[in-house]
């Protein structure tokens, strides 16, 4: 009785060959369907949208990084403005000019020449900061 059950569960070589032919034809049919969808306009549109999505994600990440850098630079600018205000209120330039007016000018004549250049640079720096402030407002 077991021999009879075993023989029904085993396939003959002809049956195996028929199943193989059927499977190959199904595979060819589905390959044609996939090619049809890939050549379809909407399928290519999906690919295009996915590529655009990837690019936009990169741009978003870059803009987020730039936003962080801008906020960091804004903080640094605020600190620099505070320092400038402090220096202007305490008058560090007046101490330099008093130093130049001391008796050391005989030993260091270049200090007298550099005083005019420092005044010009200070005025230029102050004007550029004010211009930058006006542009930002």
């Amino acid at each position: 009785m077991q021999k009879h059950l075993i023989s029904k569960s085993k396939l003959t070589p002809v049956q195996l060959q028929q199943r193989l032919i059927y499977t190959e034809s199904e595979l060819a049919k589905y390959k044609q369907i996939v090619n049809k969808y890939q050549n379809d306009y909407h399928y290519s549109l999906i690919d295009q949208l996915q590529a655009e999505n990837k690019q936009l994600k990169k741009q978003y990440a870059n803009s987020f990084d730039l936003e962080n850098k801008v906020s960091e630079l804004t903080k640094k600018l605020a600190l620099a403005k505070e320092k400038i205000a402090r220096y202007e209120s305490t008058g560090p330039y007046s101490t330099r000019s008093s130093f130049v007016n001391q008796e050391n000018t005989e030993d260091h004549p270049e200090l007298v020449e550099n005083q005019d250049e420092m005044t010009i640079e200070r005025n230029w720096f102050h004007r550029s900061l004010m211009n930058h402030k006006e542009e930002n407002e």
Side-chain angles (χ1 to χ4, degrees):
M1 180 104 180
Q2 277 186 347
K3 259 187 169 179
H4 186 51
L5 289 175
I6 292 174
S7 65
K8 283 190 176 182
S9 66
K10 288 187 178 180
L11 297 174
T12 64
V14 174
Q15 290 173 327
L16 285 174
Q17 212 169 20
Q18 287 175 344
R19 285 196 178 180
L20 182 62
I21 291 169
Y22 174 76
T23 306
E24 287 175 346
S25 67
E26 288 291 311
L27 179 63
K29 180 176 101 175
Y30 287 117
K31 280 184 179 180
Q32 286 177 347
I33 292 172
V34 168
N35 284 334
K36 179 182 172 187
Y37 282 126
Q38 285 179 341
N39 293 331
D40 189 18
Y41 168 75
H42 295 291
Y43 188 83
S44 64
L45 185 62
I46 290 172
D47 286 342
Q48 181 183 0
L49 289 174
Q50 286 175 341
E52 186 178 347
N53 187 25
K54 186 183 276 187
Q55 181 184 6
L56 289 173
K57 284 181 180 179
K58 285 182 182 177
Q59 286 178 354
Y60 175 75
N62 288 341
S63 66
F64 187 71
D65 290 342
L66 289 175
E67 187 176 320
N68 288 340
K69 288 179 183 178
V70 166
S71 65
E72 183 180 320
L73 290 174
T74 305
K75 289 177 184 176
K76 286 183 180 180
L77 180 62
L79 288 174
K81 286 181 179 180
E82 286 179 23
K83 285 183 180 179
I84 290 171
R86 252 186 315 201
Y87 286 133
E88 286 178 348
S89 66
T90 58
Y93 298 108
S94 62
T95 58
R96 282 187 183 161
S97 61
S98 64
F99 175 74
V100 170
N101 291 332
Q102 291 175 354
E103 297 173 3
N104 293 335
T105 55
E106 295 173 7
D107 297 334
H108 301 287
E110 68 273 357
L111 290 177
V112 175
E113 295 171 7
N114 288 340
Q115 182 181 12
D116 292 332
E117 291 176 16
M118 287 178 6
T119 306
I120 292 171
E121 288 177 5
R122 181 187 67 189
N123 292 338
W124 174 84
F125 182 71
H126 184 68
R127 281 193 313 269
S128 65
L129 282 177
M130 293 307 234
N131 289 338
H132 185 69
K133 182 178 178 183
E134 290 172 2
E135 290 174 357
N136 288 337
E137 293 175 355

